[in-house]
């Protein structure tokens, strides 16, 4: 009987340690490490009949970003007043935009410049 108790205590201890390690790892992903930071992901989707693009912008800093200026290229721009911490928006470039790159800057010296990336085509999916 004592052996089973020892194994249960050891098992509970191991599970507790693993939960703590994984919990801290997950918490690290959700806690902002900088005051002002942006995640930007421009995606282009080339279909046989049309081309679409979208830009995901997320404030991954701990503070609100202000005066966000989005430059889609080819003279197309968009101004956004604020983006709260953790807030995510998805934008589409204006019609006729060549969708080569996107440059985003905001107050507090935040600047991101990224080229569009194309998602891999999957067999059986539209456009593949």
């Amino acid at each position: 009987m004592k052996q089973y108790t020892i194994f249960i205590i050891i098992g509970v201890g191991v599970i507790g340690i693993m939960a703590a390690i994984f919990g801290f790892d997950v918490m690290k992903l959700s806690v902002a490490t900088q005051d002002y930071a942006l995640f930007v992901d421009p995606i282009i989707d080339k279909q046989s009949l049309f081309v679409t693009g979208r830009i995901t912008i997320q404030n991954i800093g701990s503070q609100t970003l202000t005066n966000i200026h989005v430059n889609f290229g080819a003279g197309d721009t968009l101004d956004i007043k604020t983006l709260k911490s953790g807030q995510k928006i998805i934008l589409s470039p204006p019609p006729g935009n060549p969708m080569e790159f996107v440059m985003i800057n905001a107050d507090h010296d935040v600047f991101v410049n990224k080229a569009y990336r194309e998602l891999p085509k999957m067999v059986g999916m539209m456009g593949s």
Side-chain angles (χ1 to χ4, degrees):
M1 189 68 158
K2 288 183 181 182
Q3 287 179 335
Y4 293 118
T5 306
I6 292 172
F7 286 130
I8 291 173
I9 291 171
I10 291 173
V12 170
V14 169
I15 290 171
I17 291 170
M18 289 176 56
I21 291 170
F22 290 121
F24 288 132
D25 195 37
V26 169
M27 195 169 64
K28 183 172 55 174
L29 296 174
S30 62
V31 175
T33 57
Q34 295 179 338
D35 287 342
Y36 303 99
L38 268 178
F39 168 78
V40 178
D41 187 22
I43 296 173
I44 190 167
D45 187 12
K46 296 179 181 177
Q47 302 291 324
S48 55
L49 299 175
F50 56 90
V51 176
T52 59
R54 68 179 181 273
I55 301 113
T56 302
I57 301 172
Q58 183 174 9
N59 181 354
I60 57 172
S62 62
Q63 302 295 317
T64 298
L65 281 170
T66 55
N67 297 321
I68 302 152
H69 181 76
V70 181
N71 181 349
F72 298 100
D76 296 321
T77 61
L78 174 69
D79 290 321
I80 302 166
K81 299 270 187 212
T82 61
L83 200 59
K84 294 179 183 175
S85 179
Q87 185 178 3
K88 180 192 303 186
I89 58 173
I90 299 174
L91 306 173
S92 294
N97 186 277
M99 292 185 273
E100 296 170 344
F101 67 90
V102 63
M103 288 191 301
I104 301 173
N105 61 321
D107 290 344
H108 305 285
D109 297 324
V110 174
F111 178 77
V112 178
N113 181 18
K114 286 212 174 170
Y116 281 82
R117 67 183 180 93
E118 192 171 348
L119 295 175
K121 300 292 181 192
M122 297 179 71
V123 176
M125 298 299 289
M126 191 171 93
S128 59

